[in-house]
């Protein structure tokens, strides 16, 4: 059957899609879809945020398990890490330039030469680079100036012109004018060995021989026979000059040669020499201690032989006084006890004038003024040289500690008041520190009582060093032994933690701790050695050369910055850190008196 055309048109129309139809269909579909509300959208975002937080938390938990541990927090600033040895060396070069830069100083920073310029430098540095209160303390000393070099000629008394019996000793290398010597000239004067102060046994020769010369040995010098000295190998050597000008409270162990040295009634060389002068001696010749074997050490004469810090200053100024090297002393001792006897030509030209000099004092403006810690060193040198190790090393280490204490901010936090001191005229008899202490003792004893301890820094960079610590355990004074031992142990423990060996060094009265200890103030510190001889045992522990002086340039022109290179610089750096630690330990302790008394752990 066929379909009519009119019947098919609607069907064809339904199967065709136009753009208009598409638009209509889309609108209808949109109308039929459900609409999302604002509330549901917000909930979706919150859900996503929570999911993110959960994922982040899980991630952090996993990272916390696998990440490396955080580095420890940096330690609080310490003075030991703040103090810098390069600063000390720069300061030392300045000191050397002071000594050598002015021709009138003659390469020296002694009281009569470059010390005043050294004081100016230290004061300016402290004022410009620290916040410490700085002042100069003036005092006066008798300034010694030696004219012509000393003359010392030894002759046999029985045959003064015999071949080989005359010896003219070389000035400065074999004989030197002693500190405090008077002027005078003697020709062919008989010389007698002074063993004690007994008017009959020891001094009668000077009454019988007007114009005679006294030959006086220091600590441990042989007395009745050289044979005894030659068989004394078992005795331990001690400081050659410990009985010259040290305090009378030295422990008995310092007189190590009781059978060879002076009589017990007159143990000190100054006392024996003074007794001889009073008995009529017109000159004094000091010779240093020999080794236990009787052999001489190659040491120049020591101007440390000085009796001018005693009450007999004018007595010693009335006669010429010289000091011999150990080799020359050995030769003179052989001659004076020989059957031929000894006659001497002796001439010294020394003059004195009153000299103005100064201590430099710098102290913190904070800290308990009733509890004072003193960090001390001496700023002068001997006349022979610039004094870079003796005691530029200690003085400039003290200056750097003052600078570091200030720049680190520790000075603002100190519990005790810290007082830094640079003493004057140490080399002529501890005169600056003695003036400071005795002035307080007479005029302000309450202020002296406020000083709880002093730490001394003298010669801390000796090239052939031992790492010495002043030995509080061997102090004779019962009241001082405990506190001085505590100071010693604080330093010892510092070095022990660094794996560095040390050796105790007996207080010998030769540095600025002595006036403080004589007035009951405990002291301590480090020292690397002066004119002592390094033993084989010490060389095994510290290195260096056995049989050589600990400071080969001690009291000589070669005591320069150059002489500190190598081992001297190394031990200077170690001692700087140890001193910084010790200073901070006592400065920051809430109960410093308890610490010194042993009630507070070190």
């Amino acid at each position: 059957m066929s379909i009519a055309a009119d019947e098919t048109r609607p069907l064809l129309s339904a199967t065709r899609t136009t753009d208009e139809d598409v638009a209509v269909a889309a609108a209808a579909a949109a109308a039929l879809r459900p609409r999302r509300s604002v509330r549901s959208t917000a909930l979706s975002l919150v859900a996503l945020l929570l999911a993110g937080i959960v994922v982040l938390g899980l991630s952090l938990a996993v990272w916390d398990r696998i990440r490396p541990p955080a580095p420890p927090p940096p330690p609080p600033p310490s003075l030991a890490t703040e103090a810098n040895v390069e600063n000390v060396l720069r300061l030392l070069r300045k000191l050397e330039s002071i000594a050598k830069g002015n021709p009138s100083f003659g390469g020296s920073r002694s009281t009569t030469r470059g010390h005043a310029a050294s004081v100016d430098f230290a004061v300016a540095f402290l004022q410009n680079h620290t916040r410490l209160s700085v002042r100069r303390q003036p005092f006066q000393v008798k300034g010694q100036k030696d004219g012509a070099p000393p003359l010392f000629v030894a002759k046999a008394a029985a045959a003064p012109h015999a071949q080989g019996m005359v010896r003219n000793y070389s000035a400065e290398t074999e004989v030197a004018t002693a500190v405090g010597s008077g002027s005078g000239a003697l020709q062919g004067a008989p010389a007698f060995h002074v063993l004690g102060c007994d008017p009959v046994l020891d001094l009668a020769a000077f009454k019988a021989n007007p114009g005679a010369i006294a030959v006086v040995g220091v600590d441990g010098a042989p007395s009745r026979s050289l044979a005894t000295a030659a068989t004394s190998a078992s005795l331990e050597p001690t400081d050659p000059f410990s009985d010259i000008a040290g305090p009378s409270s030295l422990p008995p162990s310092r007189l190590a040669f009781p059978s060879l040295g002076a009589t017990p009634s007159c143990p000190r060389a100054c006392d024996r020499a003074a007794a001889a002068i009073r008995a009529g001696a017109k000159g004094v010749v000091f010779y240093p201690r020999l080794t236990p074997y009787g052999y001489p050490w190659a040491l120049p004469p020591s101007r440390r032989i000085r009796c001018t810090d005693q009450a007999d200053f004018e007595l010693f100024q009335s006669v010429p006084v010289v000091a011999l090297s150990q080799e020359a002393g050995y030769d003179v001792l052989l001659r004076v006890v020989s059957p031929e006897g000894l006659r001497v030509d002796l001439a010294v030209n020394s003059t004195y004038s009153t000299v103005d000099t100064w201590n430099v004092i710098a102290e913190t403006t904070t800290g308990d003024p009733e509890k004072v810690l003193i960090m001390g060193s001496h700023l002068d040198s001997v006349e022979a040289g610039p004094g870079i190790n003796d005691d530029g090393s200690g003085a400039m280490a003290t200056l750097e500690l003052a600078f570091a204490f200030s720049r680190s901010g520790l000075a603002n936090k100190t519990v005790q008041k810290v007082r830094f001191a640079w003493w004057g005229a140490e080399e002529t008899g501890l005169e600056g520190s003695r003036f400071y202490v005795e002035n307080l003792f007479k005029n302000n004893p309450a202020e002296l009582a406020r000083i709880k301890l002093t730490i001394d820094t003298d010669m801390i960079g000796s090239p052939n060093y031992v790492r010495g610590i002043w030995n509080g355990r061997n102090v004779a004074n019962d009241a001082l032994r405990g506190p001085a031992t505590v100071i010693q142990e604080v330093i010892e423990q510092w070095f022990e933690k660094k794996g560095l060996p040390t050796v105790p060094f007996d207080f010998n009265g030769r540095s600025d701790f002595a006036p403080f200890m004589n007035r009951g103030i405990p002291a301590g510190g480090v020292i690397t050695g002066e004119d002592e001889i390094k033993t084989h045992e010490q060389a095994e522990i510290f290195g260096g050369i056995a049989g050589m002086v600990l400071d080969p340039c001690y009291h000589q022109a070669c005591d320069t910055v150059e002489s500190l290179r190598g081992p001297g610089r190394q031990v200077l750096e170690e001692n700087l850190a140890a001193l910084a630690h010790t200073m901070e330990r006592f400065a920051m302790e809430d109960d410093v008196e308890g610490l010194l008394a042993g009630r507070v752990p070190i």
Side-chain angles (χ1 to χ4, degrees), residues 338-355:
S338 69
E340 293 82 8
L342 175 66
R343 286 187 178 271
V344 169
D345 294 345
L346 175 63
V348 172
N349 181 11
S350 294
T351 59
Y352 293 85
S353 60
T354 300
V355 177

Side-chain angles (χ1 to χ4, degrees), residues 72-87:
S78 75
L79 195 59
T81 56
E82 183 70 25
N84 189 336
V85 71
E86 291 302 324
N87 289 344

Side-chain angles (χ1 to χ4, degrees), residues 194-200 202-203 263 265-268 271-273 275-276:
V194 180
L195 306 175
C197 298
D198 187 276
V200 176
D202 303 303
L203 305 176
T263 58
S265 63
C266 196
R268 302 179 70 245
D271 296 334
R272 300 195 298 276

Side-chain angles (χ1 to χ4, degrees), residues 88-89 91-92 95 109 375-380 386-402 420-423 455-462 470 511-512 525-528 551 559 564 568 571-573 575-576 579-580:
V88 178
L89 292 170
L91 294 168
L92 286 172
L95 279 193
R109 296 184 303 100
M375 294 290 297
S377 55
H378 71 87
L379 194 52
D380 64 317
I388 295 306
N389 187 38
D390 184 16
D391 177 34
S393 61
M396 296 302 97
T398 304
L399 195 58
E400 165 61 7
L401 290 175
F420 301 91
W422 293 265
W423 310 117
I455 298 173
D456 187 66
T457 56
D458 193 353
M459 298 188 67
I460 63 171
S462 302
W470 290 114
S511 194
D512 292 300
V526 296
I527 182 171
T528 52
D551 182 1
D559 186 7
L564 297 184
V571 75
L572 176 63
E573 183 173 16
N575 279 330
L576 177 67
L579 288 166

